[in-house]
Amino acid sequence: MMNPRAIACFGAVHADLIAHGARPVLRETSTPGAIAMTPGGVATNVARALARLSVPVRLAGAVGTDSDGTSLHRLLSEDGIDLSALARADLPTGRYVALHDPDGSLAGAICDTTITDSLDAGFIAHAAGLLDACPIWFAEANLPDDALAELAERAGKRLLVADAVSSAKAPRLAALAGRLDLVFLNRAEAAAWTGFAEATPAVPLALAVAALGPRQVMLSDGAGLLTIVEDGRPLQIEPGAVEIIDVTGAGDALIAGTLAGLARGLPLEDAAHAGLVAARLTLETTGAVAPSLAWDNICPVLAR
């Protein structure tokens, strides 16, 4: 297997406040539990996971000049991520607040994306010059339309990968669609982008996404089958059973594990299996990046 190629991640850098209730979270009252602060944001979670998977990774985004921004810069540098394209802006650092029930499910969340919304085409043009040596670029739909369009313009012959992020933001992928090599999205996000009903079977839904431009599609469906479309050909993979502790970052781990496989030259189907292992390891622990996440822990599963 080849040494992994470098990956640049463009997008959100947040301070995540993750709360786990000791009992189900209720409205209009406090709930006992535990709260932890970690780096977050889709691009950040993917970059952190890639670093644990021994992939050279660079992160392009912005943090504030406040204490949260300083702390995130230090923590991400300690994770082994190249931060040469991470800007410091005169805005509050982004924050994501999530409330989880005892079974790990998400009861509610709020995300302040003001600083990420400020990342315009000019920022992308500057960051792209700093990240020119990376043959794989990953972007997320938290970025504004003009930033995504600039990424598509500057991608050249690189492998360009994107994540839909949410139903509300999935339509932003239209700015990339004509140039997009691979897109990750779930059923609700695919429905929001295509206009199809969310109840549409997974294969026709994934094919509808592919018809909008992406050469490859990975459509997740919770604990259901993972649907892949590659050059118009659909394939489904059983993700396997998992004991869920925390859903935070599982989708980002799927992306990171898949990208880590692609960076090592694996075909998409094998890379997707690596992504599923990374997602399982993340679901079985607390936090967006599992301590057990390592390529050496994925390889034996791929061999089986």
Side-chain angles (χ1 to χ4, degrees), residues 24 58 80 90 103 147 153 189 303:
R58 301 180 181 182
D90 191 21
D103 64 358
E153 183 69 23
E189 293 158 359

Side-chain angles (χ1 to χ4, degrees), residues 132-144:
D132 186 63
C134 296
I136 302 174
W137 282 3
F138 167 75
E140 42 145 316
N142 275 318
L143 291 169

